[in-house]
Amino acid sequence: MQLEDIGQTTPARTLVVEESDWAQLTRADAMRLTTLFLAARRFEEKILLLDKLNLVHGPAHSSIGQEGGAAGCIAALPIDTLMNGTHRAHHQCVAKAVNALYDESTDPVASGLSLRMRQEIQGLMQEILGLKDGWTGGRGGSMHLRRADLGIMGTNAIVAGGIPIACGHAFAEKQRRSGKLMVTFFGDGAVHQGATHEAMNLAALYGLPMIFFLENNKYAVSMSVEQSTFQTELLTRPQGHGIAAVKVDGMNPYAVWLATRWAREHIEREGKPAFILAEVYRYYHQSSSIPGSAFGYRTRDEENAWKARDPWLFLQRELTDRGILGADELAAIDTAVSDAMDAAAASCVEGAGSSARIRPELWPEAASVDANLNSDMREFEGVRFAESEDYAAQDMEDLSYIEAMSRTMGARMAEDERIYVFGEDVANMGGGTVGATRGLTETYAGRLVNTPITENGFCGLATGAALSGLRPVVELMYSDFFLVAGDQLLNQAGKIRHLFNGTASVPLVLRTRIPGAEGYGSQHSMDPAGVFALFPGWRILAPSNAFDYVGLMNSALRCEDPVLVIEPQELHKRKTPVPKNLDYYIPIGRAKRVQEGEQITLLATLTMVDRCVQVAAEMGVSADIIDLRTLSQRDIDYDTIGASVMKTGRVAIVEQTTRGASLGALIADEIQRRYFDYLDQPVQRVTGRWAPPTVSQALERAALAGEDDIRSRLSTMLQDSGLIPQPGNVHALRA
């Protein structure tokens, strides 16, 4: 037997600084590098001081000791570079903010920091303290920092949560040919997250202009790298994805500067991402000013050995010994930076010592708590809203639901080059797995993007692309797969607008298929509306026919919020008259009365709309049947519902889905709060059973609601009211 090497050629190397390398560092570059480092160090020291005074609400993840990595990286990149990071990002953000405002005329030795730099440092500090004049009004605090004007696209409290989003920013910049780079910072703990590997795979696959920057500070809280992984050589991770990588001493800011120059040149030359691993050390515990040794997971000797290699000591020694900057120049920079930090703290705090407190006038108003959960919908000003009855017969043609899907997407892609479709197989098989992109694959080949089976990764990429100005449409082959991407969809995309106080929007459309009674089993059959409705930020649209699909999808593609569009497979072949001109909209938040009735209100969704019409006709029930169409909680059309309830006094919510996944309980609660005095009996619900549908046809039919369930509920409600339905006559009801 012979075993042959597989020939892995992706380089993974260690950068060693040679004496000749120092010739590359000019005085101007040295001043920039020093300024960024000291801005990060002095800012962190000030935050820890405020934390000791109990003025920082929540965690304050200090990076003291590891600022050399951030400063070295950012100083070596163009000022228009984009970045994001994780929960430990003060140092990266303050260094990026200063660098973004650092131009050829900047001389921190002679002139200190500019007024704008000082203002941004103040805004960052106020943000961390939760104050209204912070970068995003105090919503983000320490872990969620965004200042898009300075290229800071948002840091993230979920370990590795921002890395797929960074891919989206890089994807958007590549499509625009802007030449901008994206750098995503993360720690050693993130290396073990699936999101990291999905992101690296996508970045390599699509050739994205981005740097993965790993700050290996040796511990994820108290877990050492050795406790976290068998393979402790972390460069094997990018190497496995085909990303060239370099390891560097992060306590040497100049070495990091050189590594970043290498990464930048690699991206420009090869058109591929790069990976930097900087070995750094945080001097304190996870989010305090107490050393880690106090908790027993590392020793004082270890901490002291790393402190002896402090980056500030390194810069002072090397820059002065080599005559690049003098000790007086370094002191002048330190004084200028320290003064900016003192001023920033003074803008937030009054009093001193134990009497120090946040200035009361700086707190945001409690009444603003729900502000910026969603767009104010001004993007719909001037559009044409229409319903089917607004069109003459000669202006209509019969289209199936699936035909409406592809034609609508094609019409909108023709007029908006920002629309990209992501998903598994969307550019293959002449229109994807169900034909939703039929006819689009040749015309829009570069904008139909096949993705690997990495839902968390490509949903995160789409989120980042939306944040950077594209209008991504994500196709999930089956609705249940959103659970795989739960963090990126529910915790990231849906929360971003509110979290960053309206300074960011995520115009992302998520299309999900529900197979219904097609034998796909319990892991391919979930109605996602009930789960998405729990997360403010998402709009949820449920078109029950081709006409509504066109109007609602047009609205989804115009909306500045993330929008879930639910597509039942059962409806795919069903035809409906649709205008030949597809340029019309159905308002988000407007239900549709599909049948007038006097005795009972049926609130139906998706496949159950036609079933309600059919069963009511068969039973002779005079039912007011309303297609809800919009299912996000804050958007449900309670005006239309209320008018019907006040007329009929009885209401049932009809969904095909299982009992536990049903949205109806939330709607029923709201109806009873708003219209209790008009109800003759409690709100009723028609749903499937508790168990999810399985592959067995008999059990599947039992799990999902159908005509018999509607019929049974109507009979019970009417009999309880002393009404007897007259089969075959929708208007005949007698007591």
Side-chain angles (χ1 to χ4, degrees):
M1 179 178 70
Q2 181 177 348
L3 300 177
E4 296 184 357
D5 194 288
I6 63 173
Q8 168 63 268
T9 59
T10 302
R13 296 167 288 196
T14 297
L15 184 147
V16 178
V17 181
E18 299 178 335
E19 186 61 33
S20 60
D21 292 325
W22 283 96
Q24 298 181 47
L25 187 65
T26 66
R27 178 178 183 276
D29 285 331
M31 283 199 299
R32 181 190 295 260
L33 177 59
T34 302
T35 302
L36 267 56
F37 173 84
L38 283 172
R41 172 63 61 89
R42 302 305 179 223
F43 185 89
E44 289 284 56
E45 289 172 345
K46 188 63 69 174
I47 290 295
L48 281 186
L49 175 61
L50 294 172
D51 188 49
K52 287 180 180 178
L53 296 173
N54 293 317
L55 298 179
V56 179
H57 186 62
H61 296 95
S62 165
S63 61
I64 291 178
Q66 60 189 68
E67 311 96 329
C73 175
I74 292 169
L77 293 170
I79 63 173
D80 64 357
T81 298
L82 307 180
M83 64 146 281
N84 74 359
T86 186
H87 59 284
R88 191 182 309 281
H90 303 161
H91 58 315
Q92 297 149 7
C93 290
V94 71
K96 181 67 177 75
V98 171
N99 195 57
L101 301 170
Y102 202 113
D103 57 32
E104 293 181 0
S105 66
T106 301
D107 186 342
V109 172
S111 307
L113 301 189
S114 70
L115 175 62
R116 178 75 191 282
M117 289 177 184
R118 293 167 66 93
Q119 289 172 335
E120 293 300 338
I121 289 168
Q122 177 177 307
L124 173 57
M125 190 169 291
Q126 293 201 6
E127 180 62 32
I128 291 171
L129 296 178
L131 307 181
K132 65 180 180 181
D133 293 330
W135 279 355
T136 55
R139 296 264 177 93
S142 174
M143 297 186 289
H144 321 89
L145 301 169
R146 175 179 169 86
R147 192 64 159 173
D149 290 349
L150 305 179
I152 301 167
M153 307 310 290
T155 65
N156 208 291
I158 302 300
V159 173
I163 304 178
I165 296 173
C167 290
H169 291 298
F171 182 92
E173 298 306 327
K174 181 177 181 179
Q175 301 312 307
R176 282 195 284 262
R177 296 180 174 86
S178 71
K180 291 182 181 180
L181 298 177
M182 178 74 199
V183 57
T184 183
F185 292 96
F186 54 99
D188 50 280
V191 170
H192 316 302
Q193 280 275 18
T196 304
H197 294 273
E198 293 188 29
M200 285 194 287
N201 182 54
L202 291 171
L205 181 64
Y206 300 145
L208 300 182
M210 64 184 295
I211 297 171
F212 292 86
F213 196 100
L214 167 58
E215 292 181 321
N216 180 11
N217 65 19
K218 313 300 180 184
Y219 296 92
V221 187
S222 67
M223 286 279 287
S224 66
V225 172
E226 291 75 17
Q227 288 177 305
S228 301
T229 180
F230 176 76
Q231 175 52 273
T232 58
E233 178 48 77
L234 301 183
L235 284 193
T236 58
R237 277 54 165 190
Q239 187 180 42
H241 291 286
I243 298 176
V246 64
K247 183 189 299 184
V248 63
D249 178 8
M251 308 303 276
N252 177 345
Y254 181 56
V256 179
W257 189 89
L258 289 170
T260 306
R261 288 293 180 98
W262 162 83
R264 180 180 171 186
E265 292 169 3
H266 171 81
I267 294 168
E268 292 172 351
R269 182 180 64 252
E270 303 293 335
K272 298 177 181 178
F275 190 105
I276 298 172
L277 187 160
E279 295 190 313
V280 296
Y281 199 79
R282 58 171 166 84
Y283 293 165
Y284 299 108
H285 182 55
Q286 172 76 347
S287 60
S288 73
S289 56
I290 302 171
S293 56
F295 297 89
Y297 60 86
R298 61 191 194 194
T299 66
R300 287 192 178 183
D301 287 344
E302 177 185 309
E303 291 171 343
N304 290 334
W306 280 94
K307 286 182 179 180
R309 297 175 54 206
D310 186 85
W312 180 221
L313 297 176
F314 175 89
L315 287 173
Q316 292 178 90
R317 180 180 67 249
E318 297 297 330
L319 295 180
T320 56
D321 286 354
R322 298 172 188 281
I324 300 173
L325 288 175
D328 57 337
E329 293 175 307
L330 294 175
I333 297 174
D334 197 359
T335 297
V337 168
S338 298
D339 180 67
M341 303 309 158
D342 290 341
S347 75
C348 307
V349 178
E350 61 185 18
S354 59
S355 299
R357 66 168 188 163
I358 299 294
R359 296 178 183 273
E361 69 274 14
L362 299 182
W363 293 113
E365 294 293 331
S368 69
V369 63
D370 282 343
N372 295 310
L373 279 168
N374 292 104
S375 163
D376 61 9
M377 307 296 270
R378 70 180 62 185
E379 61 265 33
F380 289 94
E381 292 177 1
V383 305
R384 180 191 181 194
F385 293 119
E387 298 290 353
S388 57
E389 53 267 25
D390 297 329
Y391 293 89
Q394 63 267 25
D395 297 327
M396 309 277 271
E397 62 176 324
D398 285 345
L399 281 189
S400 69
Y401 199 94
I402 196 70
E403 289 171 329
M405 290 163 65
S406 59
R407 288 203 197 179
T408 307
M409 193 59 58
R412 301 291 75 83
M413 291 182 79
E415 64 186 20
D416 190 344
E417 63 183 11
R418 298 172 299 169
I419 297 175
Y420 284 74
V421 180
F422 297 90
E424 296 150 10
D425 303 297
V426 294
N428 289 351
M429 299 185 291
T433 56
V434 297
T437 52
R438 186 172 294 128
L440 308 180
T441 52
E442 293 183 5
T443 307
Y444 304 109
R447 290 161 57 195
L448 299 179
V449 184
N450 282 331
T451 64
I453 304 175
T454 53
E455 284 83 3
N456 200 45
F458 66 72
C459 286
L461 186 151
T463 297
L467 281 166
S468 276
L470 299 187
R471 288 194 169 269
V473 177
V474 173
E475 176 183 300
L476 289 185
M477 196 176 292
Y478 293 96
S479 56
D480 304 63
F481 299 173
F482 86 84
L483 294 168
V484 181
D487 176 55
Q488 292 300 324
L489 294 174
L490 303 176
N491 210 22
Q492 307 288 344
K495 293 181 178 180
I496 280 174
R497 176 185 287 275
H498 181 259
L499 178 62
F500 295 131
N501 201 24
T503 65
S505 59
V506 185
L508 162 69
V509 176
L510 178 68
R511 296 178 34 241
T512 63
R513 173 165 47 132
I514 303 175
E518 298 288 336
Y520 279 86
S522 63
Q523 295 179 339
H524 283 67
S525 56
M526 181 181 184
D527 183 338
V531 175
F532 275 80
L534 300 176
F535 291 84
W538 277 90
R539 312 277 189 174
I540 307 171
L541 303 181
S544 64
N545 57 72
F547 179 94
D548 284 3
Y549 188 91
V550 174
L552 290 172
M553 178 55 78
N554 284 339
S555 291
L557 289 169
R558 193 177 189 89
C559 186
E560 291 294 328
D561 293 318
V563 182
L564 169 67
V565 180
I566 303 172
E567 302 170 352
Q569 187 169 314
E570 181 182 323
L571 301 178
H572 280 188
K573 296 181 180 179
R574 191 171 300 174
K575 293 199 171 186
T576 307
V578 174
K580 297 172 185 176
N581 183 343
L582 301 180
D583 296 338
Y584 65 93
Y585 297 79
I586 292 174
I588 294 174
R590 182 181 296 173
K592 175 69 179 291
R593 180 179 281 102
V594 298
Q595 179 176 295
E596 291 275 359
E598 302 294 331
Q599 301 298 324
I600 193 167
T601 298
L602 299 180
L603 307 179
T605 66
L606 300 166
T607 58
M608 303 305 274
V609 175
D610 286 347
R611 285 192 170 98
C612 284
V613 173
Q614 173 189 337
V615 171
E618 290 173 356
M619 295 180 66
V621 174
S622 178
D624 216 38
I625 301 175
I626 296 172
D627 182 349
L628 291 175
R629 299 199 297 197
T630 300
L631 302 179
S632 29
Q633 283 197 68
R634 299 173 76 230
D635 299 319
I636 291 173
D637 187 356
Y638 285 106
D639 290 340
T640 297
I641 292 170
S644 180
V645 170
M646 286 187 278
K647 176 176 60 173
T648 67
R650 303 172 188 84
V651 59
I653 304 158
V654 184
E655 303 168 273
Q656 186 182 44
T657 190
T658 58
R659 191 82 172 169
S662 165
L663 177 65
L666 297 172
I667 299 173
D669 175 74
E670 193 69 23
I671 290 172
Q672 292 182 151
R673 292 175 186 275
R674 293 180 183 226
Y675 306 111
F676 181 80
D677 290 343
Y678 298 95
L679 291 170
D680 294 332
Q681 57 183 238
V683 177
Q684 300 294 308
R685 294 165 57 202
V686 176
T687 69
R689 306 306 182 268
W690 289 105
T694 56
V695 173
S696 167
Q697 191 174 63
L699 294 177
E700 180 183 65
R701 288 175 178 172
L704 298 174
E707 290 89 346
D708 288 345
D709 299 283
I710 301 172
R711 190 175 294 109
S712 174
R713 182 62 59 191
L714 285 177
S715 295
T716 300
M717 292 180 71
L718 295 174
Q719 288 170 9
D720 288 348
S721 299
L723 300 171
I724 303 173
Q726 297 293 299
N729 185 351
V730 73
H731 297 296
L733 279 164
R734 60 187 175 83

